Amino acid sequence: MGRYDFRPLRVHQTATRLLATERISSAPPWYDVIARIPPAQTLVRTQPLQHHEPVRKSKTKKPSKLFHPAQITFEEDRLRTEFFRDHPWELARPRIVLEDDGRDAERNDWSHIEQPGRPLNGESVVQRQLWLLQNVPNMTSAKAYDHARKEFYEIRLQEEVETRVAKEEALATGAYFGKSTLEIGMELEDKQYGNWKQWATEDILKDKQALAARYTGNASDVSPDDAEKEAGHEETPDSKPAQEQAPLGGALNTALNM
């Protein structure tokens, strides 16, 4: 094992010597064929080339999004995006989306921005701008946007003035509207500050008791008053709750009194 056998390569030479020494009487049938086509000299058999059938590409391409709905865009989408990007707080205003018969939009006349039975909102600006672009010659999108915004600001300012005057008249006649959103926010802020101060006092008291017990073995030497003073150490002496501060603020009053 491990040796190459070269006898198949020398079969023609061996047959020739046997004929010369008359060891065989006649040449084998393959003698002339081997003389014309001798065996290969390479001992390693190479892998024959494999022929594959060419893959035929289909001319019709299968759609990749066959069952996806087509994206529908309208001209108002770009105008609506521009307006609410400049006026994000208009999205916080409550809106009524209920319609009578589903064809309310067909009865609107956007030659003016105010519509009967429809509150003024951002959609009014969008539809007014679209009407100007479609009906006024030589009207650009920027000019239509500025024109519609100007009408919107004037009406919105008038509504705010009417609301403020109506509230003042109602207060003058004895009406009570409750706390405003600013007052409610101040109360919540004061409540959270009180909770934090209580937590800080208890936390400092625990730390002081642990420190006292480590050195003296008695944790009752620390009083809650000392912990409360340390918790409020970062407060200014003239600090007051948010509702009791003057309009200029406690810090500014302190600086003026010095």
Side-chain angles (χ1 to χ4, degrees), residues 15-247:
T16 302
R17 286 197 298 268
L18 292 177
L19 287 174
T21 57
E22 297 181 354
R23 298 287 297 274
I24 56 177
S25 57
S26 59
W30 44 262
Y31 184 76
D32 296 333
V33 178
I34 291 296
R36 293 193 302 269
I37 308 174
Q41 299 295 325
T42 59
L43 303 179
V44 180
R45 179 176 296 178
T46 58
Q47 185 72 15
L49 181 64
Q50 301 294 330
H51 298 280
H52 300 281
E53 184 178 359
V55 179
R56 298 179 179 179
K57 296 183 179 180
S58 177
K59 295 182 179 179
T60 59
K61 183 179 179 181
K62 184 178 180 180
S64 58
K65 298 181 179 180
L66 180 61
F67 299 103
H68 288 209
Q71 185 177 3
I72 303 175
T73 57
F74 297 93
E75 188 176 0
E76 299 95 320
D77 296 340
R78 179 181 56 84
L79 308 179
R80 191 177 293 111
T81 302
E82 181 181 10
F83 175 81
F84 287 110
R85 183 180 63 244
D86 298 338
H87 308 80
W89 283 105
E90 284 297 322
L91 295 172
R93 292 179 177 270
R95 295 182 57 186
I96 300 176
V97 296
L98 184 64
E99 296 183 354
D100 295 335
D101 55 358
R103 309 184 60 153
D104 297 354
E106 299 178 1
R107 292 188 288 271
N108 294 329
D109 180 18
W110 292 110
S111 58
H112 48 274
I113 194 170
E114 287 187 292
Q115 302 296 322
R118 178 189 178 99
L120 184 70
N121 50 29
E123 189 65 25
S124 303
V125 180
V126 173
Q127 297 298 330
R128 174 61 173 160
Q129 182 182 2
L130 183 63
W131 187 91
L132 292 173
L133 289 173
Q134 295 177 349
N135 296 274
V136 178
N138 301 327
M139 176 63 70
T140 62
S141 179
K143 292 181 179 179
Y145 183 50
D146 293 339
H147 187 83
R149 280 191 308 162
K150 183 179 179 181
E151 296 178 354
F152 173 76
Y153 294 155
E154 291 176 353
I155 299 175
R156 182 55 56 82
L157 178 60
Q158 182 180 357
E159 291 178 352
E160 293 179 357
V161 171
E162 291 176 356
T163 303
R164 185 165 60 249
V165 171
K167 182 178 180 181
E168 293 176 356
E169 291 177 351
L171 291 174
T173 56
Y176 179 75
F177 291 97
K179 298 178 181 179
S180 64
T181 55
L182 181 60
E183 293 175 347
I184 295 175
M186 289 297 182
E187 289 183 358
L188 294 176
E189 183 178 351
D190 293 340
K191 182 179 179 181
Q192 290 299 324
Y193 174 75
N195 294 339
W196 172 86
K197 187 175 181 179
Q198 181 181 0
W199 168 84
T201 303
E202 296 175 355
D203 190 66
I204 292 174
L205 180 61
K206 292 179 182 178
D207 294 342
K208 283 186 171 294
Q209 289 177 351
L211 185 62
R214 186 181 304 172
Y215 291 102
T216 63
N218 187 6
S220 60
D221 297 339
V222 182
S223 62
D225 296 337
D226 298 337
E228 185 175 357
K229 291 179 181 179
E230 187 168 349
H233 179 68
E234 297 182 357
E235 299 182 50
T236 59
D238 297 334
S239 62
K240 299 179 181 179
Q243 292 181 343
E244 300 178 5
Q245 291 183 2

